[in-house]
Amino acid sequence: MDLLVQQLINGLTVGSIYALVAIGYTMVYGIIKLINFAHGEIMMFGAYFAFIFAFMFPFDLPFVLIIIISMVLSGLMGILIERIAYKKLRKAPRISALITAIGMSIFLQNLALLIFGATPKVMQPLITGDPLILFGYNISRLTLTTIGLSIFFMIALTLFVRKTKPGKAMRAVSQDQEAAQLMGININKIISLTFAIGSALGALGGIFYAMTYSQIAPTMGVMPGLKAFIAAVFGGIGNITGAMIGGYIIGFIETFTKGYISSKWVDAIVFGLLILILLVKPSGLLGKNTKEKV
Amino acid sequence: MAILEVKNLGINFGGLRAVDNFEISIKEDELVGLIGPNGAGKTTIFNLLTGVYFPTDGTIELSNTDIRGRKPHQIVHLGSSRTFQNIRLFKNMTVMENIKVAYHNRMSYGIFGSVFKTKRYRAEESVANEVAISLMDVFELTSFKDEQAKNLPYGKQRKLEIARALATDPKILLLDEPAAGMNPQETEELMNTIKLLRQRFGISILLIEHDMKLVMGICERIVVLDYGRIIATGTPAEIRSNPEVIKAYLGE
Amino acid sequence: MTAFNQTLIKLLTNKKVVHYTFITLIFIVLFTMIKSGTIDRYISNLLIMVLIMIIMSTSLNIATGFMGQLVLGHAGFMAIGAYTAALIAILLQPYIESTLLLFIVSALAAMIMAGFAGVLVGAPALRLRGDYLGIMTLGFGEIIRVVITNLSDITNGAQGLYGVPRIMTFPIAFWTTVIVVALIFLFMNSRHGRAILSIRDDEIASESVGINITKYKMIGFIVASMFAGIGGAMFAFKEGFLAPSSFGFMKSVEIFVIVVLGGMGSLSGSIIAAIVLVFLPEVLRSVNDYRYLIYSSLLVIIMLYRPQGLMGTKELDLTQTKSKAIQFWKNLKLLPGKIKLLPSKIKALFLKWVASIRKLLKLNQKGSDC
């Protein structure tokens, strides 16, 4: 197969995963102005949930059910984290909330370390079967599912946020919490909902990530988490469409760097890119610029 | 000689002309009031004069130096100092420290001076302490010397902000609604302090204020602003009877 | 009162005298204990680690505590200092006999290199604030690590750099730390320090009183990174071996936790917290697996219940300790009474909880009846 086509497909796969995870960052930031550092760990726990239900469960469960269970569990976890660690700090300086988020992230990582051990586990792809042939190229079913399901969920989310009542409430809260409250919106519920959706999508990203690299480990969420965050910043943090676009761009940049420049310098290049974006256009591709009023 | 000479000043925010053709000339020792309805552009003018915003057109001269494009701290160096509408103190620093920060540019010892506690360090620090103490004395803050600024009562916070602005040794002081949120008694007290401060420090003052009693009571000259334009200038008596002003404040 | 008593009281209330005496006493006690073998090599190594972490946390305190700029990549500067010092010491070892001189030369080089990195980070950092700045510094820390890993010709890459002279003795470490902390303290108590403090509280107000905030932010970042370079140099000479993995994000977090726990803006807080957090996991050996679990829970709990940390922005003042100690003792005496009340309080809470659950159940039953 052409190297270029292969790279494009890889980019699309990795990009889908980053986009899914980036959505969680961007939604939470949009609503409570917090970089939820623990999001990468939710992604990791999502993968572990899937691993448990796929390989340690007495019955064979269908793939879709495994995914749904893991997403629901991770969603609940997201809600729980917000209630325990962030709720009390909504009015506190943002730096305190950020420090708490970092604390939560390390806590969850080490919790996973205690429960599952430090040695990485092999995650067999849950989707097997002969590769499909598309336009004359062999593409594995896993890749197709990853890209297909990610796009499906992204469209569903976009419709949810634009068309439904809770989705509109979510947008209202992200623009002005107090005004939204005065309009009769239950802020706590909306924040919980945001965390639930973000975490569920993050978990999905985690499952695909684990299957793509066929490995799970307690620290697996750190790097993709950071890169997904970079994607969210790239797209304009707080903007869901931006996060999706950013995810794909970072995915492509990463795979093309690996393929054509050097795999050793990938992380440095991606982080360098982050710094560059922050300097040139901190509001990202689709974000709005805000300045402190004197 | 004019301390502050502003000509044809204007700024656009996107398509909005926030300030248009603003002119003012403030002489030494003069107290000028700047009034106008909410959103007339008063604070924007302060932000232009202090270098927070860059004007779209016009000139600003402070003691005959053009200050357009200079950074706020450079403008302070040239002798202009301000307070803010929503008090901006260094909340976690003590009253004494708040004033001493503003004395920064009048000291010259370097980083090595501070580390080795040189003679110059000790001399300058002791002068700074004296200045701070005398300013606290003027503004009746002495008993709060080691109190963190955030713990001061509201009226004292306003006073501290003025004291801090004075510590930079300005030729002109820009006060942005110093009486906002004060009760009549505190306003009265503030009026006396402003009068006292002119006698003692002999500086020019440009004052934004909503409290008409205060403005009419102490200003020699008043400039009225509406929709970013000057609609009247004159003595308090002239302003009081100006039909344009009445219209701007009371509507048609 | 005799003249002798009067001088004694004067001396005991003089901050400088009391604190310098205190420091010297600590040194004499620890040094004789090490020399006589009362403290074994293991513990004395730990002591040096404490001193390194004191330098790292007090230096980070300049940028994060005093200046209010979130820096999440402090270990990156430490890495630069460590590698610079190690490489220079390996190079110069044959020519310089005195370990002290070797340390001074390489630590100075480490300081300069780390300070240079501070310029690189500081310049872009001027445009950012808050969480964005934190993310950027995190990115820089990671880039530094990747660069060190990939420059394997010089640094021996991921395998690590062997053969660094282990010249870190307790006296050198101790007095280096004392000097660094004293320098930071003096710096913070000058017009420059006040300018940096004012940036933390309100940048706009700071500019409006004539502070060049660009310049002072830069100074803050550079000073912080320079001292971190010294900490790195001490680390290199203590370990004798360097690997890029020692300077990852977790190291930065470790330093950060010390600053937060001690109180952002308190040097003595950082010192106390560094002592506690280095010794705590060693004392509780059995819980070593839970080390980071404890660190992270601490971080969350502090932020939720005591965001100002142990000391807030205050400094420990030994001339005031007697009255503080009495106060503490009085509070301690009240503690048993409070503990006696605890069971009844818990009981009350539990009953309340049970009652609310009952209520819920009843409501549900009623709901099903309809």
Side-chain angles (χ1 to χ4, degrees), chain B residues 103 106-114 116-128, chain C residues 191-192:
Chain B
Y103 197 74
R106 292 160 76 186
M107 295 190 263
S108 62
Y109 66 83
I111 290 174
F112 285 96
S114 61
F116 295 113
K117 292 209 170 182
T118 53
K119 212 172 176 183
R120 197 203 278 173
Y121 165 93
R122 277 174 283 149
E124 287 181 349
E125 282 286 323
S126 77
V127 173
Chain C
R191 72 184 183 117
H192 309 290

Side-chain angles (χ1 to χ4, degrees), chain B residues 8-64:
Chain B
N8 190 30
L9 188 68
I11 186 170
N12 297 341
F13 290 128
L16 178 81
R17 186 85 176 154
V19 173
D20 188 35
N21 198 17
F22 179 78
E23 289 191 339
I24 200 167
S25 172
I26 299 177
K27 287 194 282 291
E28 216 167 299
D29 224 2
E30 206 177 7
L31 205 170
V32 180
L34 183 60
I35 64 172
N38 280 324
K42 303 181 296 287
T43 300
T44 308
I45 287 174
F46 265 30
N47 286 340
L48 286 166
L49 296 182
T50 51
V52 179
Y53 296 150
F54 187 78
T56 316
D57 35 29
T59 56
I60 309 168
E61 280 183 8
L62 185 65
S63 333
N64 296 324

Side-chain angles (χ1 to χ4, degrees), chain B residues 235-248:
Chain B
T235 61
E238 286 166 2
I239 293 299
R240 226 184 301 237
S241 54
N242 188 314
E244 285 271 336
V245 178
I246 296 167
K247 203 170 90 186

Side-chain angles (χ1 to χ4, degrees), chain B residues 88 92 104-105 109 115 125, chain C residues 183 191 194 201-202 210 216:
Chain B
R88 282 180 174 274
N92 297 306
H104 181 90
N105 280 331
Y109 66 83
V115 166
E125 282 286 323
Chain C
L183 287 178
R191 72 184 183 117
R194 283 193 297 269
D201 277 5
D202 193 327
Y216 275 101

